[in-house]
């Protein structure tokens, strides 16, 4: 009978060792997957912010073109999205462009959309709300010989 109990003890020890090895392996998998998931989530957030900035600048430029083609005193109201990480919104009169500047992990990024119309660089796209992420309504008008883009408060 003693031989049987010794054999049972050895089998139980091996089962316990296999359980510990499995738990240790799962621990390492979890330990390495958490930083990887955090990195993927961060990259996806930045990618969506960049795409949102591209869409907003393109919408502003296209709407400015449309208002310009309609002629004097034409105007349109659009809603644009300010993405997270936005640091500056600039109207570049000389280049007829609208530029959104973003801060990313890779460094600053400027996204520019060009218009066929002459843009007024004194335009105030951000309004009093500043560069907070979210939606902003703007009015685009053809006044004088320029297109103005101003936030609606």
């Amino acid at each position: 009978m003693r031989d049987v109990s010794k054999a049972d003890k050895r089998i139980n020890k091996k089962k316990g060792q296999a359980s510990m090895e499995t738990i240790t392996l799962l621990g390492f998998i979890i330990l390495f997957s958490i930083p990887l998931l955090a990195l993927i989530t961060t990259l996806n957030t930045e990618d969506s912010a960049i795409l949102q900035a591209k869409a907003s600048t393109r919408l502003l430029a296209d709407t400015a073109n449309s208002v310009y083609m309609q002629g004097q005193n034409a105007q349109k109201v659009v809603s644009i999205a300010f993405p997270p990480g936005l640091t500056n919104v600039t109207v570049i009169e000389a280049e007829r462009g609208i530029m959104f500047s973003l801060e990313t992990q890779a460094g600053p990024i400027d996204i520019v959309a060009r218009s066929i119309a002459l843009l007024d660089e004194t335009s105030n796209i951000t309004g009093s709300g500043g560069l907070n992420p979210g939606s902003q309504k703007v009015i685009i008008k053809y006044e004088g010989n320029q297109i103005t883009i101003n936030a609606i408060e």
Side-chain angles (χ1 to χ4, degrees), residues 102-123:
L102 295 170
E103 188 60 44
T104 66
Q105 285 185 339
I109 294 177
D110 293 332
I111 297 167
V112 179
R114 299 197 188 277
S115 172
I116 59 172
L118 183 61
L119 304 172
D120 184 2
E121 67 183 12
T122 62
S123 295

Side-chain angles (χ1 to χ4, degrees), residues 57 60-61 64-65 88-101 109-125 146-149:
T57 55
L60 286 172
N65 291 341
N88 195 19
V89 176
T90 310
V91 175
I92 309 165
E93 183 178 0
E95 296 182 22
R96 298 179 182 205
I98 299 160
M99 180 172 70
F100 277 31
S101 299
I109 294 177
D110 293 332
I111 297 167
V112 179
R114 299 197 188 277
S115 172
I116 59 172
L118 183 61
L119 304 172
D120 184 2
E121 67 183 12
T122 62
S123 295
N124 181 11
I125 298 173
Q146 295 182 1
I147 299 290
T148 59
I149 306 170

Side-chain angles (χ1 to χ4, degrees), residues 48-58 81 83 86 100-102 111:
S48 66
I50 292 169
L51 290 173
Q52 197 174 38
K54 284 181 181 180
S56 292
T57 55
R58 188 73 261 151
L86 186 65
F100 277 31
S101 299
L102 295 170
I111 297 167

Side-chain angles (χ1 to χ4, degrees), residues 141-152:
K141 294 180 183 178
Y142 188 2
E143 299 175 323
N145 64 344
Q146 295 182 1
I147 299 290
T148 59
I149 306 170
N150 292 305
I152 298 175

